[in-house]
Amino acid sequence: VGLVAKGAKRPHSKLRGVLQTFQPLSTSWSGKSELRTLIDAEWVGGMLPLEKTALLCGFYLNELLVKLLARDDPHPALFDHYVATLNELAHNEPAQIVLRKFELALLKETGVGADLTRCTSKRGALDPAGSYVVDPERGPRPARAGDNWPVVSGKTLLDMEHEDYADAATQAQSKQLMRFLLAHHLGGAPLNTRQILIDLMQL
């Protein structure tokens, strides 16, 4: 829901101290246009603040949500996953693992994420030792010569489905796979926060 908080920066505004980043609020608003007017906001519980890289990761999550979700389309299960992800980032859980879990949950909750445990061409379970590509519209199939999509092992796909990122190969392959799938579903739209994170890591 797009909201504008009129006068929130004024010294005596009741919204001034409430509108903090990554804090849960109970809100009310008015208007019927795409951008509505915030009437009231009440803080409803504390979360640890995000700092440094975790803060940028939080903004990355927000950018994904804004670009992949339709306005006025509620996703309560995804919201719960979002809150859990923010808490993991605030407690310094490994960012690359936390982000991969959220990215996959986002695709599944929006109906575009396939079951990563089933092969679409053979209609059966994946072979952990096999090599696969993931069709963004259909799901995993065996890799073939000439494929331009990221090739991942069956084990990586099964690990991702079970949220098990202990294996370094799973971490590396899932990163490339999720980057590919998100780019497809974003229609090539760039993710500004991801580029900032990449630039910082290269400093």
Side-chain angles (χ1 to χ4, degrees):
V1 179
L3 302 176
V4 58
K6 293 181 178 179
K9 292 184 178 181
R10 293 174 184 166
H12 301 294
S13 171
K14 63 180 180 179
L15 296 174
R16 183 180 177 91
V18 177
L19 300 181
Q20 304 295 323
T21 54
F22 305 109
Q23 292 297 315
L25 303 174
S26 175
T27 61
S28 58
W29 60 84
S30 64
K32 296 182 179 180
S33 63
E34 185 176 1
L35 190 60
R36 299 161 195 176
T37 300
L38 180 65
I39 296 175
D40 193 24
E42 180 181 351
W43 184 71
V44 293
M47 292 181 64
L48 289 175
L50 299 182
E51 299 177 340
K52 300 178 181 179
T53 301
L55 180 61
L56 280 174
C57 289
F59 284 122
Y60 169 70
L61 301 181
N62 286 1
E63 187 176 9
L64 281 179
L65 292 169
V66 168
K67 290 184 174 179
L68 286 173
L69 298 182
R71 286 284 177 92
D72 299 306
D73 184 17
H75 288 275
L78 181 59
F79 180 79
D80 290 342
H81 202 108
Y82 171 72
V83 172
T85 301
L86 293 179
N87 275 315
E88 289 175 350
L89 290 171
H91 285 89
N92 297 314
E93 295 292 328
Q96 64 175 349
I97 295 175
V98 173
L99 295 181
R100 294 300 87 76
K101 291 192 294 184
F102 180 81
E103 290 165 347
L104 186 58
L106 173 59
L107 295 185
K108 286 182 175 293
E109 284 293 331
T110 52
V112 298
D115 180 356
L116 298 182
T117 68
R118 310 292 294 178
C119 179
T120 57
S121 60
K122 296 183 177 180
R123 306 294 181 186
L126 299 185
D127 177 3
S131 295
Y132 297 87
V133 295
V134 179
D135 184 324
E137 303 297 333
R138 300 183 62 195
R141 66 162 174 77
R144 298 190 289 259
D147 278 332
N148 292 322
W149 295 344
V151 177
V152 298
S153 70
K155 179 182 181 302
T156 288
L157 296 175
L158 293 170
D159 284 348
M160 291 174 66
E161 195 72 37
H162 298 129
E163 296 191 342
D164 180 0
Y165 291 85
D167 191 324
T170 296
Q171 293 180 28
Q173 291 183 3
S174 63
K175 179 179 180 180
Q176 295 302 316
L177 176 60
M178 292 312 302
R179 184 174 295 178
F180 163 71
L181 293 176
L182 288 170
H184 173 84
H185 292 297
L186 287 165
L191 288 166
N192 300 317
T193 45
R194 174 188 283 163
Q195 188 57 52
I196 293 173
L197 282 167
I198 291 172
D199 292 343
L200 283 176
M201 297 302 178
Q202 292 175 344
L203 290 177

